[in-house]
Amino acid sequence: MAARSIETAKRKVAMLALWSIPVAVAVLALKFAAWWITDSVALYSDALESIVNVIASFFALWAIRISHMPADENHPFGHHKAEYLSAVVEGALIIVAALLIFREAFFALQSPMPLERPWPGLAINAVAGVLNAGWAWVLIRAGRRERSPALDADGRHLLTDVWTSAGVIVGLVAAVSTGWTVLDPLLAIAVAINILYQGWSVIGSSVQGLMDVGVDAEQSMRIRSIISTNAGGALEVHDLKTRIAGRATFIEFHLVVDAAMSVGDSHVICDRIEEALKAEIPSVRVVIHVEPDDEAKLPPGTASVPFA
């Protein structure tokens, strides 16, 4: 049952990554149409970011397919971290897009131009924003539920794109209403600053994953509770370590038992703990090092199996 559940989740993640490509292309076409109609630098900057979305969608699909490959001789722990590579590439592309926007805005500031046919262009850009918002919600929700860094990064980037588009639309409405044409390139600069921040955030969170970041405090307490509850017959648990690699959570710890306990009996305890962790945490990998009681770090006599 658990194996089928994991395979179903993998197929769902891969399918969402595949559908992200046509969605990104559709949004790109709409935003470039909006820029072409209006000749707005702000809308052009919004469209440039959508190019990143298209490229990032291809990278995300590639990374997800790699991450779902089974462990092999060269990668005995699996390929889970491939998704982090996709997120790092996406962050780098976001930063490149921001630099291109700065360049266009700089030249536009030298000679601000009135917008051509602003209302049709803004309407088209609004449609693109709504499409992006819906798809971002789908990706972020699936990325968190299925623990997919690539989907989550793609969704968060799209959500940034949505807020960017909303800000651009509001600003350009003000520019058209007031006649302040300088607002167009100034909006483009604001968009670029926002994109830079988001690109840095995406890279930062992905690098944490590549550097074997552990689970958060809440998840750590949950893991400790599961182990302690199911470690009956053991004397102590210590040196708990965790790390996250894409969908997989790796857990290892030392389990202290009576020195006279047989290997078979200690193995029964280990199996019970491992099954309990697998039932509560998807895609978990557990390594338990069994030690005799002279390795304990706490005095004997506690009511439950303690953590040192």
Side-chain angles (χ1 to χ4, degrees):
M1 181 67 70
R4 285 203 301 272
S5 177
I6 292 173
E7 287 304 314
T8 300
K10 286 181 177 180
R11 285 196 295 271
K12 183 175 182 179
V13 169
M15 184 60 67
L16 286 172
L18 179 61
W19 274 103
S20 287
I21 297 173
V23 172
V25 170
V27 170
L28 174 65
L30 287 170
K31 289 191 174 184
F32 265 99
W35 162 68
W36 183 76
I37 290 173
T38 61
D39 202 28
S40 162
V41 180
L43 290 180
Y44 177 67
S45 68
D46 204 9
L48 273 180
E49 190 181 2
S50 291
I51 296 177
V52 174
N53 293 346
V54 174
I55 299 172
S57 296
F58 279 102
F59 267 105
L61 178 60
W62 168 81
I64 286 170
R65 287 183 172 175
I66 294 295
S67 72
H68 289 174
M69 292 173 61
D72 54 35
E73 185 177 349
N74 292 326
H75 306 87
F77 290 98
H79 301 77
H80 310 285
K81 290 188 178 182
E83 291 197 42
Y84 292 118
L85 295 176
S86 166
V88 169
V89 169
E90 181 165 355
L93 290 172
I94 291 171
I95 291 174
V96 170
L99 296 176
L100 290 173
I101 293 168
F102 276 127
R103 178 182 180 276
E104 293 299 321
F106 173 77
F107 288 118
L109 274 173
Q110 310 304 310
S111 52
M113 300 291 291
L115 302 182
E116 301 177 11
R117 296 182 293 168
W119 303 119
L122 290 173
I124 293 173
N125 208 62
V127 171
V130 171
L131 179 58
N132 249 355
W135 193 245
W137 179 80
V138 170
L139 291 182
I140 292 173
R141 188 180 179 190
R144 290 175 179 171
R145 184 176 61 249
E146 310 301 344
R147 298 181 63 184
S148 169
L151 284 188
D152 185 58
D154 206 11
R156 286 192 293 121
H157 178 208
L158 290 183
L159 192 59
T160 302
D161 198 11
V162 171
W163 287 113
T164 297
S165 297
V168 166
I169 290 172
V170 171
L172 288 181
V173 168
V176 173
S177 302
T178 62
W180 296 348
T181 55
V182 74
L183 283 177
D184 185 25
L186 288 177
L187 277 171
I189 292 173
V191 169
I193 293 172
N194 182 47
I195 292 173
L196 274 178
Y197 171 76
Q198 292 300 324
W200 182 255
S201 298
V202 169
I203 291 175
S205 61
S206 302
V207 168
Q208 285 292 315
L210 289 171
M211 295 179 67
D212 289 338
V213 66
V215 301
D216 59 28
E218 181 181 351
Q219 181 78 325
S220 179
M221 292 303 296
R222 181 183 174 205
I223 290 171
R224 290 166 71 96
S225 176
I226 293 170
I227 294 172
S228 185
T229 301
N230 292 276
L235 303 177
E236 177 186 293
V237 178
H238 59 244
D239 292 351
L240 173 66
K241 298 176 183 176
T242 63
R243 66 183 177 93
I244 299 172
R247 298 189 73 253
T249 299
F250 291 83
I251 301 172
E252 64 176 78
F253 57 90
H254 293 190
L255 183 73
V256 179
V257 300
D258 191 306
M261 180 178 285
S262 69
V263 173
D265 288 342
S266 63
H267 191 263
V268 169
I269 300 174
C270 292
D271 281 347
R272 187 169 63 241
I273 296 172
E274 187 172 350
E275 289 304 316
L277 287 168
K278 286 181 177 179
E280 295 292 329
I281 303 171
S283 300
V284 70
R285 309 288 193 274
V286 184
V287 176
I288 306 173
H289 178 68
V290 178
E291 296 181 331
D293 49 21
D294 60 359
E295 295 292 332
K297 297 183 178 182
L298 295 175
T302 52
S304 61
V305 180
F307 271 83

